[in-house]
Amino acid sequence: MITNRILLTTPTFPYPSLPANDSLTDATGQRFTHGDDIFSLVSHTHCYANHILAQNINIPTTLLEYPRWNNFVEEVDKKYGIIGISAFPVHLDTVMKMCTHIRENSPETKILLGSYGAQAFAAQYDKETQKKYVDHVVLGEGVRFLRELLGEDTDRPIQQKVMPKCGGAPAFINKYPKGGLGFLVTGLGCPGGCDFCATTEMYKKKRIELLSPDDFVNHVELYRKHFKNLSSIFVIEEDHFRHPRWLTKTKERWEKNVDLVKNVDWTGFGSVDFIWHYAENYGWDAIPETGIGAVFIGVESKFAGEHGYRKVREADAREVFHKLHSMGIRTLGAWICGWDYHNHANMYEDLNYFVACKPTYQQLTRLSPFPGTELWRKLKDQGRVCDVPWEDVHFWSGSQKNISLETHETLNLTEYGYDLIYKTWGPSILRKLEVTLNGYEFCMDSDNPLMREHRSELYKGSCATTWGMLGAMDRFAPNGVVRRRVIKADERFRDLIGEPTPMMEMLSKNIEERAVKFKMAHMFNPYNRRPREEPAKRYLYNKDSSIKDDDIPYITEYPNKIPKKIQKIMNRNNLKYRILAKLLSYKFKLKSSKHINDLDPVILRSLAGQSYGGF
Ligand code: SF4
């Protein structure tokens, strides 16, 4: 029995696909840029819950991410004293199979189950059934639980050092983008108490702070120390704007570091009313000064406020989105279909209210009663929860019996909504460019010298790299309305920033050619015909003295050979980008020094990154 190391793992592959045949691990393809034709971003992410656990216990840890069954069996055979599984409800069939295997082959191992899979498991099964599979169903914050179980000090601060980066890009640019987006969790839980929300239930309507403003900025600085090209961090918290003091302190700390102001922004979370209140109390300008560059906002529904959801009762979502966009802040808007009040008379009105917000990225889902939530208990009492397999319990679950709509209608409406947004506003990449141009203009007009002299640089660079996509967007626009938006964005770029450099022009042509080739190659064999699969990874948190305080605290291994076909595409992409960067650099910088300007180095850096960067 291994007692000086523990194993943490995600469920084993294969993963179920989502109803629109998307991958569970591709957050941009399945939702944020879903429906954008070839401009949808394909992306990968990591299991951060396990990384946070592994970083915050003293005992060495092996962490399996997306293991295949044989990788998992190999580790179980080592006979760990503790194996922890972090899972979502959608994985529970696999999780129970994994637990059965551990029980049969390493009966003394204690099994822990955490995350929202644990919440659903505890709600669905009686105690006896739970014990058959799992020794500890971990609900709430897991670090404290694990430290207690291991007999460690529970009060030391939580760290999240240089966690693996996620990455995304349109498939015609790079099907296997490198990680380019950092990830941190500043807080868990929300006092909001919305009945459908698994988070508010999980943390008993409380917020647990994981990173103070100082710790947060220190962690971002550490990322920058290791990855000079990193320009964006995804920061999990249910609603940063409910905690104005945290935001204000972050702003003070952020503004002290010009490198951050100039080179990095972060994606936070907010809600319509709390953003509005924050702006009323601190001024709209204070929002971008916190370093925030994008906000996830759960609009949920035009009518949510009048049906008891406090976060959207006072302000008009359209105004809040518009105001944020005018300052260069991108939005990830979320809308839900299938409320009890939804019927054929109001569902399109509701959807069009959301479309009018013009979110930069979007998440349209169905109201899904996750086991363990208040909504689930209520619908169960009313006999309105259908018996669906675990693989269908997710944001697009059809497990709810609607009052006025057929089950299939809610799924169709979300798919229609994605299409409507694409055909109305164009792809998210275009919307990002439009908002980023606003940001540049806003900064140049700002009285705050930090915004004018430094944050403006961040916007300018981002505009220049995204501008290169306009040729492809013009060619493949879904209609004339969107094509005209593309042309207008180009005109605005030239007005505000100036004529694109010859390097940008050449790269843009290259991107357009790639798009054409990609379209032709996938005409009869769509690139997203099969959901994307992630490789298995093994992270070793060895915790030995060779790892210094600011080092990356883990070693990454690939336990399986990457399939030859994928390896070939990845190698070819690496080579192509390297050659392209060299060619551009030689042609426009070394040979014709007259073309040197401040945008070309940004373009070359983005080529080196081989990833879309961030939201
Ligand atoms: S405001 Fe958002 S995070 Fe908070 S309870 Fe409601 S849905 Fe959940």
Short mmCIF file of all heavy atoms in Angstrom, two decimals, residues 366-421:
data_model
loop_
_atom_site.label_atom_id
_atom_site.label_comp_id
_atom_site.label_asym_id
_atom_site.label_seq_id
_atom_site.Cartn_x
_atom_site.Cartn_y
_atom_site.Cartn_z
N ARG A 366 -30.12 24.74 -21.72
CA ARG A 366 -31.48 24.43 -21.27
C ARG A 366 -31.51 24.43 -19.75
O ARG A 366 -30.51 24.07 -19.12
CB ARG A 366 -31.87 23.03 -21.74
CG ARG A 366 -31.94 22.86 -23.20
CD ARG A 366 -31.81 21.41 -23.54
NE ARG A 366 -33.04 20.82 -24.02
CZ ARG A 366 -33.15 19.53 -24.34
NH1 ARG A 366 -32.12 18.70 -24.19
NH2 ARG A 366 -34.27 19.05 -24.80
N LEU A 367 -32.64 24.79 -19.19
CA LEU A 367 -32.78 24.69 -17.75
C LEU A 367 -32.67 23.21 -17.38
O LEU A 367 -33.44 22.39 -17.88
CB LEU A 367 -34.13 25.26 -17.29
CG LEU A 367 -34.27 25.42 -15.79
CD1 LEU A 367 -33.26 26.43 -15.24
CD2 LEU A 367 -35.68 25.87 -15.42
N SER A 368 -31.69 22.89 -16.56
CA SER A 368 -31.41 21.48 -16.26
C SER A 368 -31.42 21.26 -14.76
O SER A 368 -30.60 21.86 -14.05
CB SER A 368 -30.03 21.10 -16.83
OG SER A 368 -29.98 21.38 -18.20
N PRO A 369 -32.32 20.43 -14.28
CA PRO A 369 -32.36 20.19 -12.83
C PRO A 369 -31.23 19.26 -12.39
O PRO A 369 -31.37 18.03 -12.45
CB PRO A 369 -33.73 19.54 -12.62
CG PRO A 369 -34.11 18.94 -13.93
CD PRO A 369 -33.37 19.69 -15.00
N PHE A 370 -30.11 19.85 -11.96
CA PHE A 370 -28.98 19.02 -11.51
C PHE A 370 -29.33 18.39 -10.17
O PHE A 370 -29.75 19.10 -9.24
CB PHE A 370 -27.72 19.87 -11.35
CG PHE A 370 -27.05 20.17 -12.66
CD1 PHE A 370 -27.22 21.39 -13.27
CD2 PHE A 370 -26.28 19.20 -13.30
CE1 PHE A 370 -26.62 21.66 -14.50
CE2 PHE A 370 -25.67 19.46 -14.52
CZ PHE A 370 -25.85 20.69 -15.12
N PRO A 371 -29.15 17.07 -10.04
CA PRO A 371 -29.47 16.42 -8.76
C PRO A 371 -28.74 17.10 -7.60
O PRO A 371 -27.54 17.36 -7.68
CB PRO A 371 -28.98 14.98 -8.97
CG PRO A 371 -29.09 14.77 -10.45
CD PRO A 371 -28.73 16.10 -11.07
N GLY A 372 -29.48 17.38 -6.56
CA GLY A 372 -28.90 18.05 -5.39
C GLY A 372 -29.29 19.51 -5.31
O GLY A 372 -29.14 20.14 -4.27
N THR A 373 -29.81 20.07 -6.41
CA THR A 373 -30.20 21.49 -6.36
C THR A 373 -31.65 21.62 -5.89
O THR A 373 -32.42 20.66 -5.92
CB THR A 373 -30.08 22.15 -7.75
OG1 THR A 373 -30.92 21.43 -8.66
CG2 THR A 373 -28.66 22.14 -8.26
N GLU A 374 -31.97 22.86 -5.52
CA GLU A 374 -33.34 23.14 -5.07
C GLU A 374 -34.34 22.88 -6.20
O GLU A 374 -35.42 22.34 -5.99
CB GLU A 374 -33.39 24.61 -4.65
CG GLU A 374 -34.54 24.97 -3.76
CD GLU A 374 -34.52 26.47 -3.45
OE1 GLU A 374 -33.42 27.03 -3.26
OE2 GLU A 374 -35.61 27.06 -3.44
N LEU A 375 -33.94 23.25 -7.42
CA LEU A 375 -34.82 23.04 -8.57
C LEU A 375 -35.13 21.55 -8.76
O LEU A 375 -36.26 21.15 -9.01
CB LEU A 375 -34.16 23.60 -9.85
CG LEU A 375 -34.94 23.38 -11.14
CD1 LEU A 375 -36.19 24.25 -11.17
CD2 LEU A 375 -34.08 23.69 -12.37
N TRP A 376 -34.11 20.74 -8.62
CA TRP A 376 -34.26 19.29 -8.79
C TRP A 376 -35.24 18.73 -7.75
O TRP A 376 -36.15 17.95 -8.08
CB TRP A 376 -32.88 18.63 -8.65
CG TRP A 376 -32.86 17.13 -8.72
CD1 TRP A 376 -32.96 16.37 -9.84
CD2 TRP A 376 -32.70 16.23 -7.62
NE1 TRP A 376 -32.87 15.04 -9.52
CE2 TRP A 376 -32.71 14.92 -8.15
CE3 TRP A 376 -32.54 16.39 -6.25
CZ2 TRP A 376 -32.57 13.79 -7.36
CZ3 TRP A 376 -32.40 15.26 -5.46
CH2 TRP A 376 -32.43 13.97 -6.01
N ARG A 377 -35.07 19.19 -6.50
CA ARG A 377 -35.98 18.69 -5.44
C ARG A 377 -37.42 19.11 -5.74
O ARG A 377 -38.35 18.33 -5.62
CB ARG A 377 -35.53 19.22 -4.07
CG ARG A 377 -34.25 18.58 -3.56
CD ARG A 377 -33.97 18.95 -2.10
NE ARG A 377 -33.59 20.34 -1.94
CZ ARG A 377 -32.35 20.80 -2.02
NH1 ARG A 377 -31.35 19.98 -2.25
NH2 ARG A 377 -32.09 22.08 -1.85
N LYS A 378 -37.57 20.36 -6.18
CA LYS A 378 -38.92 20.88 -6.46
C LYS A 378 -39.57 20.11 -7.61
O LYS A 378 -40.71 19.65 -7.52
CB LYS A 378 -38.80 22.38 -6.82
CG LYS A 378 -40.11 23.11 -6.92
CD LYS A 378 -39.88 24.59 -7.19
CE LYS A 378 -39.74 24.82 -8.70
NZ LYS A 378 -39.34 26.17 -9.06
N LEU A 379 -38.81 19.93 -8.70
CA LEU A 379 -39.38 19.24 -9.86
C LEU A 379 -39.63 17.77 -9.57
O LEU A 379 -40.57 17.16 -10.08
CB LEU A 379 -38.45 19.39 -11.08
CG LEU A 379 -38.30 20.80 -11.65
CD1 LEU A 379 -37.47 20.78 -12.93
CD2 LEU A 379 -39.65 21.44 -11.95
N LYS A 380 -38.77 17.19 -8.74
CA LYS A 380 -38.97 15.79 -8.37
C LYS A 380 -40.30 15.63 -7.62
O LYS A 380 -41.08 14.71 -7.89
CB LYS A 380 -37.82 15.32 -7.47
CG LYS A 380 -37.07 14.12 -8.04
CD LYS A 380 -35.87 13.81 -7.19
CE LYS A 380 -35.90 12.41 -6.64
NZ LYS A 380 -35.98 11.34 -7.59
N ASP A 381 -40.54 16.56 -6.69
CA ASP A 381 -41.81 16.53 -5.94
C ASP A 381 -43.00 16.64 -6.88
O ASP A 381 -44.07 16.09 -6.63
CB ASP A 381 -41.87 17.69 -4.93
CG ASP A 381 -40.97 17.44 -3.74
OD1 ASP A 381 -40.50 16.29 -3.61
OD2 ASP A 381 -40.73 18.38 -2.96
N GLN A 382 -42.79 17.38 -7.97
CA GLN A 382 -43.90 17.57 -8.93
C GLN A 382 -43.93 16.46 -9.98
O GLN A 382 -44.73 16.51 -10.91
CB GLN A 382 -43.74 18.92 -9.64
CG GLN A 382 -43.86 20.12 -8.72
CD GLN A 382 -43.47 21.43 -9.43
OE1 GLN A 382 -43.19 21.45 -10.63
NE2 GLN A 382 -43.46 22.52 -8.68
N GLY A 383 -43.03 15.49 -9.85
CA GLY A 383 -42.97 14.39 -10.83
C GLY A 383 -42.53 14.86 -12.20
O GLY A 383 -42.95 14.32 -13.22
N ARG A 384 -41.63 15.85 -12.24
CA ARG A 384 -41.25 16.43 -13.53
C ARG A 384 -39.78 16.21 -13.88
O ARG A 384 -39.23 16.92 -14.72
CB ARG A 384 -41.58 17.93 -13.54
CG ARG A 384 -43.09 18.20 -13.53
CD ARG A 384 -43.39 19.69 -13.47
NE ARG A 384 -42.70 20.40 -14.51
CZ ARG A 384 -42.34 21.68 -14.41
NH1 ARG A 384 -42.61 22.36 -13.31
NH2 ARG A 384 -41.71 22.27 -15.40
N VAL A 385 -39.13 15.24 -13.21
CA VAL A 385 -37.75 14.92 -13.60
C VAL A 385 -37.77 13.58 -14.33
O VAL A 385 -38.14 12.56 -13.75
CB VAL A 385 -36.82 14.86 -12.37
CG1 VAL A 385 -35.40 14.48 -12.81
CG2 VAL A 385 -36.80 16.19 -11.63
N CYS A 386 -37.41 13.60 -15.60
CA CYS A 386 -37.41 12.35 -16.39
C CYS A 386 -36.19 11.52 -16.01
O CYS A 386 -35.16 12.06 -15.61
CB CYS A 386 -37.31 12.64 -17.88
SG CYS A 386 -38.54 13.76 -18.47
N ASP A 387 -36.34 10.23 -16.19
CA ASP A 387 -35.26 9.32 -15.88
C ASP A 387 -34.31 9.27 -17.09
O ASP A 387 -34.57 8.56 -18.05
CB ASP A 387 -35.87 7.95 -15.60
CG ASP A 387 -34.86 7.04 -14.93
OD1 ASP A 387 -33.82 7.56 -14.49
OD2 ASP A 387 -35.12 5.83 -14.86
N VAL A 388 -33.25 10.06 -17.05
CA VAL A 388 -32.30 10.04 -18.18
C VAL A 388 -30.98 9.45 -17.67
O VAL A 388 -30.68 9.53 -16.48
CB VAL A 388 -32.05 11.46 -18.76
CG1 VAL A 388 -33.32 12.06 -19.33
CG2 VAL A 388 -31.42 12.38 -17.74
N PRO A 389 -30.20 8.84 -18.56
CA PRO A 389 -28.91 8.30 -18.11
C PRO A 389 -27.98 9.43 -17.66
O PRO A 389 -28.14 10.58 -18.08
CB PRO A 389 -28.36 7.60 -19.36
CG PRO A 389 -29.14 8.12 -20.51
CD PRO A 389 -30.45 8.61 -19.98
N TRP A 390 -27.00 9.08 -16.82
CA TRP A 390 -26.06 10.10 -16.33
C TRP A 390 -25.41 10.85 -17.48
O TRP A 390 -25.12 12.04 -17.38
CB TRP A 390 -24.99 9.47 -15.44
CG TRP A 390 -25.47 9.15 -14.06
CD1 TRP A 390 -25.55 7.92 -13.48
CD2 TRP A 390 -25.94 10.09 -13.07
NE1 TRP A 390 -26.04 8.03 -12.20
CE2 TRP A 390 -26.29 9.34 -11.92
CE3 TRP A 390 -26.11 11.47 -13.03
CZ2 TRP A 390 -26.78 9.94 -10.76
CZ3 TRP A 390 -26.61 12.07 -11.88
CH2 TRP A 390 -26.94 11.31 -10.77
N GLU A 391 -25.17 10.15 -18.58
CA GLU A 391 -24.45 10.83 -19.67
C GLU A 391 -25.27 11.97 -20.27
O GLU A 391 -24.75 12.77 -21.03
CB GLU A 391 -24.02 9.83 -20.76
CG GLU A 391 -25.15 9.28 -21.60
CD GLU A 391 -24.62 8.67 -22.90
OE1 GLU A 391 -23.48 8.18 -22.92
OE2 GLU A 391 -25.37 8.69 -23.89
N ASP A 392 -26.55 12.05 -19.90
CA ASP A 392 -27.37 13.17 -20.39
C ASP A 392 -27.64 14.22 -19.32
O ASP A 392 -28.54 15.05 -19.46
CB ASP A 392 -28.71 12.64 -20.94
CG ASP A 392 -28.51 11.90 -22.25
OD1 ASP A 392 -27.55 12.25 -22.97
OD2 ASP A 392 -29.28 10.97 -22.54
N VAL A 393 -26.88 14.18 -18.23
CA VAL A 393 -27.07 15.19 -17.18
C VAL A 393 -25.97 16.25 -17.31
O VAL A 393 -24.84 16.04 -16.89
CB VAL A 393 -27.07 14.54 -15.78
CG1 VAL A 393 -27.30 15.61 -14.70
CG2 VAL A 393 -28.15 13.47 -15.69
N HIS A 394 -26.32 17.35 -17.95
CA HIS A 394 -25.38 18.45 -18.20
C HIS A 394 -26.21 19.68 -18.53
O HIS A 394 -27.44 19.66 -18.36
CB HIS A 394 -24.42 18.08 -19.33
CG HIS A 394 -25.10 17.43 -20.49
ND1 HIS A 394 -26.09 18.05 -21.22
CD2 HIS A 394 -24.98 16.18 -21.03
CE1 HIS A 394 -26.53 17.24 -22.15
NE2 HIS A 394 -25.88 16.09 -22.06
N PHE A 395 -25.57 20.74 -19.03
CA PHE A 395 -26.28 22.00 -19.28
C PHE A 395 -27.33 21.91 -20.39
O PHE A 395 -28.12 22.82 -20.57
CB PHE A 395 -25.30 23.11 -19.65
CG PHE A 395 -24.53 23.65 -18.48
CD1 PHE A 395 -23.18 23.93 -18.59
CD2 PHE A 395 -25.16 23.90 -17.27
CE1 PHE A 395 -22.47 24.45 -17.51
CE2 PHE A 395 -24.47 24.41 -16.19
CZ PHE A 395 -23.12 24.69 -16.31
N TRP A 396 -27.30 20.84 -21.17
CA TRP A 396 -28.29 20.71 -22.25
C TRP A 396 -29.16 19.47 -22.00
O TRP A 396 -29.69 18.87 -22.92
CB TRP A 396 -27.60 20.61 -23.62
CG TRP A 396 -26.87 21.87 -23.96
CD1 TRP A 396 -27.37 22.93 -24.65
CD2 TRP A 396 -25.53 22.21 -23.63
NE1 TRP A 396 -26.43 23.91 -24.76
CE2 TRP A 396 -25.28 23.50 -24.14
CE3 TRP A 396 -24.50 21.56 -22.93
CZ2 TRP A 396 -24.06 24.15 -23.99
CZ3 TRP A 396 -23.28 22.21 -22.79
CH2 TRP A 396 -23.07 23.48 -23.31
N SER A 397 -29.29 19.11 -20.74
CA SER A 397 -30.03 17.91 -20.38
C SER A 397 -31.51 18.07 -20.74
O SER A 397 -32.09 19.15 -20.59
CB SER A 397 -29.89 17.68 -18.88
OG SER A 397 -30.77 16.67 -18.48
N GLY A 398 -32.10 16.99 -21.19
CA GLY A 398 -33.54 17.02 -21.46
C GLY A 398 -34.31 16.37 -20.33
O GLY A 398 -35.38 15.80 -20.55
N SER A 399 -33.78 16.45 -19.11
CA SER A 399 -34.40 15.70 -18.01
C SER A 399 -35.61 16.41 -17.42
O SER A 399 -36.33 15.83 -16.62
CB SER A 399 -33.36 15.42 -16.92
OG SER A 399 -32.88 16.63 -16.40
N GLN A 400 -35.83 17.68 -17.81
CA GLN A 400 -36.97 18.39 -17.23
C GLN A 400 -38.21 18.27 -18.10
O GLN A 400 -38.15 18.46 -19.31
CB GLN A 400 -36.60 19.87 -17.09
CG GLN A 400 -37.77 20.75 -16.70
CD GLN A 400 -37.38 22.21 -16.59
OE1 GLN A 400 -36.68 22.60 -15.68
NE2 GLN A 400 -37.85 23.02 -17.53
N LYS A 401 -39.35 17.96 -17.46
CA LYS A 401 -40.62 17.99 -18.20
C LYS A 401 -41.11 19.43 -18.19
O LYS A 401 -41.41 19.99 -17.13
CB LYS A 401 -41.66 17.10 -17.51
CG LYS A 401 -41.46 15.63 -17.79
CD LYS A 401 -42.60 14.79 -17.19
CE LYS A 401 -42.17 13.33 -17.18
NZ LYS A 401 -42.79 12.56 -16.12
N ASN A 402 -41.19 20.05 -19.37
CA ASN A 402 -41.59 21.46 -19.44
C ASN A 402 -43.10 21.59 -19.29
O ASN A 402 -43.85 20.64 -19.54
CB ASN A 402 -41.16 22.05 -20.79
CG ASN A 402 -39.66 21.95 -20.99
OD1 ASN A 402 -38.90 22.28 -20.09
ND2 ASN A 402 -39.24 21.47 -22.14
N ILE A 403 -43.53 22.79 -18.96
CA ILE A 403 -44.97 23.01 -18.82
C ILE A 403 -45.62 23.27 -20.18
O ILE A 403 -46.62 22.65 -20.52
CB ILE A 403 -45.24 24.18 -17.83
CG1 ILE A 403 -44.86 23.71 -16.43
CG2 ILE A 403 -46.70 24.62 -17.89
CD1 ILE A 403 -45.12 24.69 -15.33
N SER A 404 -45.01 24.16 -20.97
CA SER A 404 -45.67 24.54 -22.23
C SER A 404 -44.91 24.12 -23.48
O SER A 404 -45.37 24.35 -24.57
CB SER A 404 -45.85 26.06 -22.29
OG SER A 404 -46.40 26.54 -21.11
N LEU A 405 -43.72 23.58 -23.32
CA LEU A 405 -42.91 23.25 -24.50
C LEU A 405 -42.61 21.76 -24.54
O LEU A 405 -42.46 21.12 -23.48
CB LEU A 405 -41.57 24.02 -24.46
CG LEU A 405 -41.66 25.55 -24.34
CD1 LEU A 405 -40.27 26.14 -24.16
CD2 LEU A 405 -42.34 26.15 -25.57
N GLU A 406 -42.50 21.24 -25.75
CA GLU A 406 -42.05 19.85 -25.90
C GLU A 406 -40.57 19.81 -25.54
O GLU A 406 -39.85 20.81 -25.67
CB GLU A 406 -42.23 19.38 -27.35
CG GLU A 406 -43.65 19.39 -27.87
CD GLU A 406 -44.56 18.41 -27.13
OE1 GLU A 406 -44.03 17.47 -26.49
OE2 GLU A 406 -45.78 18.60 -27.16
N THR A 407 -40.08 18.64 -25.14
CA THR A 407 -38.68 18.54 -24.70
C THR A 407 -37.73 18.95 -25.83
O THR A 407 -36.77 19.70 -25.60
CB THR A 407 -38.36 17.11 -24.25
OG1 THR A 407 -39.31 16.75 -23.25
CG2 THR A 407 -36.97 17.00 -23.67
N HIS A 408 -38.00 18.49 -27.04
CA HIS A 408 -37.05 18.78 -28.13
C HIS A 408 -37.00 20.27 -28.46
O HIS A 408 -35.99 20.77 -28.97
CB HIS A 408 -37.41 17.99 -29.39
CG HIS A 408 -38.65 18.48 -30.07
ND1 HIS A 408 -39.90 18.02 -29.76
CD2 HIS A 408 -38.82 19.42 -31.03
CE1 HIS A 408 -40.79 18.65 -30.51
NE2 HIS A 408 -40.16 19.51 -31.29
N GLU A 409 -38.06 21.00 -28.14
CA GLU A 409 -38.10 22.41 -28.53
C GLU A 409 -37.02 23.24 -27.85
O GLU A 409 -36.47 24.17 -28.44
CB GLU A 409 -39.48 23.01 -28.21
CG GLU A 409 -40.56 22.61 -29.18
CD GLU A 409 -41.87 23.30 -28.86
OE1 GLU A 409 -42.52 22.92 -27.87
OE2 GLU A 409 -42.23 24.23 -29.59
N THR A 410 -36.74 22.91 -26.59
CA THR A 410 -35.76 23.74 -25.88
C THR A 410 -34.36 23.54 -26.46
O THR A 410 -33.58 24.49 -26.58
CB THR A 410 -35.76 23.42 -24.36
OG1 THR A 410 -35.66 22.01 -24.19
CG2 THR A 410 -37.02 23.94 -23.71
N LEU A 411 -34.04 22.30 -26.86
CA LEU A 411 -32.74 22.07 -27.49
C LEU A 411 -32.68 22.78 -28.84
O LEU A 411 -31.70 23.45 -29.17
CB LEU A 411 -32.47 20.57 -27.65
CG LEU A 411 -31.11 20.20 -28.25
CD1 LEU A 411 -29.97 20.72 -27.39
CD2 LEU A 411 -30.98 18.69 -28.43
N ASN A 412 -33.77 22.65 -29.59
CA ASN A 412 -33.80 23.32 -30.90
C ASN A 412 -33.65 24.83 -30.74
O ASN A 412 -33.01 25.49 -31.55
CB ASN A 412 -35.12 23.03 -31.62
CG ASN A 412 -35.14 21.62 -32.19
OD1 ASN A 412 -34.13 20.92 -32.11
ND2 ASN A 412 -36.25 21.20 -32.74
N LEU A 413 -34.26 25.37 -29.68
CA LEU A 413 -34.20 26.82 -29.51
C LEU A 413 -32.77 27.29 -29.19
O LEU A 413 -32.35 28.35 -29.64
CB LEU A 413 -35.17 27.27 -28.41
CG LEU A 413 -35.49 28.76 -28.45
CD1 LEU A 413 -36.19 29.17 -29.73
CD2 LEU A 413 -36.33 29.17 -27.25
N THR A 414 -32.04 26.50 -28.41
CA THR A 414 -30.65 26.91 -28.14
C THR A 414 -29.83 26.87 -29.43
O THR A 414 -29.07 27.78 -29.72
CB THR A 414 -29.97 26.04 -27.06
OG1 THR A 414 -29.95 24.69 -27.49
CG2 THR A 414 -30.65 26.14 -25.73
N GLU A 415 -30.02 25.82 -30.24
CA GLU A 415 -29.27 25.73 -31.51
C GLU A 415 -29.68 26.88 -32.43
O GLU A 415 -28.84 27.49 -33.09
CB GLU A 415 -29.56 24.39 -32.20
CG GLU A 415 -28.87 23.20 -31.54
CD GLU A 415 -27.35 23.28 -31.65
OE1 GLU A 415 -26.82 23.36 -32.76
OE2 GLU A 415 -26.69 23.28 -30.59
N TYR A 416 -30.97 27.18 -32.46
CA TYR A 416 -31.45 28.30 -33.28
C TYR A 416 -30.83 29.61 -32.78
O TYR A 416 -30.43 30.48 -33.56
CB TYR A 416 -32.99 28.35 -33.21
CG TYR A 416 -33.56 29.62 -33.79
CD1 TYR A 416 -33.54 29.85 -35.17
CD2 TYR A 416 -34.10 30.60 -32.96
CE1 TYR A 416 -34.04 31.03 -35.69
CE2 TYR A 416 -34.61 31.77 -33.48
CZ TYR A 416 -34.58 31.99 -34.84
OH TYR A 416 -35.06 33.16 -35.36
N GLY A 417 -30.75 29.75 -31.46
CA GLY A 417 -30.19 30.97 -30.87
C GLY A 417 -28.74 31.19 -31.29
O GLY A 417 -28.34 32.31 -31.64
N TYR A 418 -27.95 30.12 -31.28
CA TYR A 418 -26.55 30.25 -31.73
C TYR A 418 -26.49 30.72 -33.18
O TYR A 418 -25.71 31.60 -33.54
CB TYR A 418 -25.82 28.90 -31.59
CG TYR A 418 -25.36 28.59 -30.19
CD1 TYR A 418 -25.92 27.56 -29.45
CD2 TYR A 418 -24.34 29.34 -29.59
CE1 TYR A 418 -25.50 27.28 -28.16
CE2 TYR A 418 -23.92 29.07 -28.30
CZ TYR A 418 -24.49 28.04 -27.59
OH TYR A 418 -24.07 27.77 -26.31
N ASP A 419 -27.35 30.12 -33.98
CA ASP A 419 -27.38 30.47 -35.40
C ASP A 419 -27.81 31.93 -35.59
O ASP A 419 -27.24 32.67 -36.40
CB ASP A 419 -28.36 29.51 -36.10
CG ASP A 419 -28.19 29.54 -37.60
OD1 ASP A 419 -27.03 29.45 -38.05
OD2 ASP A 419 -29.20 29.68 -38.31
N LEU A 420 -28.81 32.32 -34.81
CA LEU A 420 -29.33 33.69 -34.91
C LEU A 420 -28.25 34.71 -34.55
O LEU A 420 -28.09 35.73 -35.22
CB LEU A 420 -30.54 33.83 -33.97
CG LEU A 420 -31.28 35.16 -33.99
CD1 LEU A 420 -31.90 35.42 -35.36
CD2 LEU A 420 -32.39 35.16 -32.92
N ILE A 421 -27.51 34.41 -33.50
CA ILE A 421 -26.45 35.35 -33.08
C ILE A 421 -25.38 35.44 -34.17
O ILE A 421 -24.93 36.54 -34.52
CB ILE A 421 -25.84 34.89 -31.73
CG1 ILE A 421 -26.87 35.11 -30.62
CG2 ILE A 421 -24.57 35.66 -31.41
CD1 ILE A 421 -26.44 34.62 -29.25
#
